[in-house]
mmCIF file with all atom_site columns, all heavy atoms in Angstrom:
data_model
loop_
_atom_site.group_PDB
_atom_site.id
_atom_site.type_symbol
_atom_site.label_atom_id
_atom_site.label_alt_id
_atom_site.label_comp_id
_atom_site.label_asym_id
_atom_site.label_entity_id
_atom_site.label_seq_id
_atom_site.pdbx_PDB_ins_code
_atom_site.Cartn_x
_atom_site.Cartn_y
_atom_site.Cartn_z
_atom_site.occupancy
_atom_site.B_iso_or_equiv
_atom_site.pdbx_formal_charge
_atom_site.auth_seq_id
_atom_site.auth_comp_id
_atom_site.auth_asym_id
_atom_site.auth_atom_id
_atom_site.pdbx_PDB_model_num
ATOM 1  N N   . PRO A 1 60 ? 138.837 200.424 64.562 1.00 93.00 ? 60 PRO A N   1
ATOM 2  C CA  . PRO A 1 60 ? 137.494 200.251 65.111 1.00 93.00 ? 60 PRO A CA  1
ATOM 3  C C   . PRO A 1 60 ? 137.226 198.826 65.601 1.00 93.00 ? 60 PRO A C   1
ATOM 4  O O   . PRO A 1 60 ? 137.807 197.863 65.086 1.00 93.00 ? 60 PRO A O   1
ATOM 5  C CB  . PRO A 1 60 ? 136.570 200.593 63.944 1.00 93.00 ? 60 PRO A CB  1
ATOM 6  C CG  . PRO A 1 60 ? 137.405 201.365 62.985 1.00 93.00 ? 60 PRO A CG  1
ATOM 7  C CD  . PRO A 1 60 ? 138.790 200.804 63.130 1.00 93.00 ? 60 PRO A CD  1
ATOM 8  N N   . TYR A 1 61 ? 136.305 198.722 66.571 1.00 91.00 ? 61 TYR A N   1
ATOM 9  C CA  . TYR A 1 61 ? 135.926 197.427 67.099 1.00 91.00 ? 61 TYR A CA  1
ATOM 10 C C   . TYR A 1 61 ? 134.904 196.745 66.197 1.00 91.00 ? 61 TYR A C   1
ATOM 11 O O   . TYR A 1 61 ? 134.103 197.394 65.525 1.00 91.00 ? 61 TYR A O   1
ATOM 12 C CB  . TYR A 1 61 ? 135.310 197.563 68.490 1.00 91.00 ? 61 TYR A CB  1
ATOM 13 C CG  . TYR A 1 61 ? 136.260 198.022 69.570 1.00 91.00 ? 61 TYR A CG  1
ATOM 14 C CD1 . TYR A 1 61 ? 135.834 198.907 70.565 1.00 91.00 ? 61 TYR A CD1 1
ATOM 15 C CD2 . TYR A 1 61 ? 137.576 197.577 69.616 1.00 91.00 ? 61 TYR A CD2 1
ATOM 16 C CE1 . TYR A 1 61 ? 136.690 199.327 71.574 1.00 91.00 ? 61 TYR A CE1 1
ATOM 17 C CE2 . TYR A 1 61 ? 138.442 197.995 70.618 1.00 91.00 ? 61 TYR A CE2 1
ATOM 18 C CZ  . TYR A 1 61 ? 137.989 198.877 71.585 1.00 91.00 ? 61 TYR A CZ  1
ATOM 19 O OH  . TYR A 1 61 ? 138.835 199.290 72.576 1.00 91.00 ? 61 TYR A OH  1
ATOM 20 N N   . ILE A 1 62 ? 134.972 195.436 66.222 1.00 85.00 ? 62 ILE A N   1
ATOM 21 C CA  . ILE A 1 62 ? 133.882 194.607 65.714 1.00 85.00 ? 62 ILE A CA  1
ATOM 22 C C   . ILE A 1 62 ? 133.142 194.104 66.954 1.00 85.00 ? 62 ILE A C   1
ATOM 23 O O   . ILE A 1 62 ? 133.732 193.433 67.805 1.00 85.00 ? 62 ILE A O   1
ATOM 24 C CB  . ILE A 1 62 ? 134.391 193.430 64.867 1.00 85.00 ? 62 ILE A CB  1
ATOM 25 C CG1 . ILE A 1 62 ? 135.192 193.946 63.663 1.00 85.00 ? 62 ILE A CG1 1
ATOM 26 C CG2 . ILE A 1 62 ? 133.223 192.559 64.417 1.00 85.00 ? 62 ILE A CG2 1
ATOM 27 C CD1 . ILE A 1 62 ? 134.389 194.758 62.670 1.00 85.00 ? 62 ILE A CD1 1
ATOM 28 N N   . ILE A 1 63 ? 131.874 194.433 67.090 1.00 85.00 ? 63 ILE A N   1
ATOM 29 C CA  . ILE A 1 63 ? 131.120 194.097 68.292 1.00 85.00 ? 63 ILE A CA  1
ATOM 30 C C   . ILE A 1 63 ? 131.074 192.583 68.475 1.00 85.00 ? 63 ILE A C   1
ATOM 31 O O   . ILE A 1 63 ? 130.690 191.845 67.560 1.00 85.00 ? 63 ILE A O   1
ATOM 32 C CB  . ILE A 1 63 ? 129.693 194.656 68.216 1.00 85.00 ? 63 ILE A CB  1
ATOM 33 C CG1 . ILE A 1 63 ? 129.741 196.183 68.131 1.00 85.00 ? 63 ILE A CG1 1
ATOM 34 C CG2 . ILE A 1 63 ? 128.875 194.219 69.427 1.00 85.00 ? 63 ILE A CG2 1
ATOM 35 C CD1 . ILE A 1 63 ? 130.394 196.848 69.306 1.00 85.00 ? 63 ILE A CD1 1
ATOM 36 N N   . ASP A 1 64 ? 131.511 192.119 69.669 1.00 80.00 ? 64 ASP A N   1
ATOM 37 C CA  . ASP A 1 64 ? 131.489 190.687 69.973 1.00 80.00 ? 64 ASP A CA  1
ATOM 38 C C   . ASP A 1 64 ? 130.726 190.454 71.264 1.00 80.00 ? 64 ASP A C   1
ATOM 39 O O   . ASP A 1 64 ? 130.019 191.343 71.760 1.00 80.00 ? 64 ASP A O   1
ATOM 40 C CB  . ASP A 1 64 ? 132.918 190.139 70.057 1.00 80.00 ? 64 ASP A CB  1
ATOM 41 C CG  . ASP A 1 64 ? 133.697 190.714 71.233 1.00 80.00 ? 64 ASP A CG  1
ATOM 42 O OD1 . ASP A 1 64 ? 133.138 191.572 71.962 1.00 80.00 ? 64 ASP A OD1 1
ATOM 43 O OD2 . ASP A 1 64 ? 134.858 190.307 71.425 1.00 80.00 ? 64 ASP A OD2 1
ATOM 44 N N   . SER A 1 65 ? 130.845 189.260 71.811 1.00 81.00 ? 65 SER A N   1
ATOM 45 C CA  . SER A 1 65 ? 130.065 188.896 72.993 1.00 81.00 ? 65 SER A CA  1
ATOM 46 C C   . SER A 1 65 ? 130.388 189.770 74.203 1.00 81.00 ? 65 SER A C   1
ATOM 47 O O   . SER A 1 65 ? 129.535 190.012 75.049 1.00 81.00 ? 65 SER A O   1
ATOM 48 C CB  . SER A 1 65 ? 130.295 187.420 73.337 1.00 81.00 ? 65 SER A CB  1
ATOM 49 O OG  . SER A 1 65 ? 131.687 187.172 73.558 1.00 81.00 ? 65 SER A OG  1
ATOM 50 N N   . VAL A 1 66 ? 131.637 190.258 74.291 1.00 89.00 ? 66 VAL A N   1
ATOM 51 C CA  . VAL A 1 66 ? 132.017 191.100 75.426 1.00 89.00 ? 66 VAL A CA  1
ATOM 52 C C   . VAL A 1 66 ? 131.298 192.443 75.377 1.00 89.00 ? 66 VAL A C   1
ATOM 53 O O   . VAL A 1 66 ? 130.844 192.977 76.399 1.00 89.00 ? 66 VAL A O   1
ATOM 54 C CB  . VAL A 1 66 ? 133.545 191.313 75.454 1.00 89.00 ? 66 VAL A CB  1
ATOM 55 C CG1 . VAL A 1 66 ? 133.943 192.321 76.520 1.00 89.00 ? 66 VAL A CG1 1
ATOM 56 C CG2 . VAL A 1 66 ? 134.262 189.991 75.673 1.00 89.00 ? 66 VAL A CG2 1
ATOM 57 N N   . LEU A 1 67 ? 131.160 193.025 74.181 1.00 92.00 ? 67 LEU A N   1
ATOM 58 C CA  . LEU A 1 67 ? 130.600 194.360 74.038 1.00 92.00 ? 67 LEU A CA  1
ATOM 59 C C   . LEU A 1 67 ? 129.126 194.369 73.681 1.00 92.00 ? 67 LEU A C   1
ATOM 60 O O   . LEU A 1 67 ? 128.474 195.424 73.765 1.00 92.00 ? 67 LEU A O   1
ATOM 61 C CB  . LEU A 1 67 ? 131.373 195.137 72.963 1.00 92.00 ? 67 LEU A CB  1
ATOM 62 C CG  . LEU A 1 67 ? 132.878 195.309 73.161 1.00 92.00 ? 67 LEU A CG  1
ATOM 63 C CD1 . LEU A 1 67 ? 133.460 196.147 72.033 1.00 92.00 ? 67 LEU A CD1 1
ATOM 64 C CD2 . LEU A 1 67 ? 133.187 195.935 74.504 1.00 92.00 ? 67 LEU A CD2 1
#
Side-chain angles (χ1 to χ4, degrees):
Y61 293 142
I62 300 296
I63 298 299
D64 66 358
S65 58
V66 173
L67 302 182

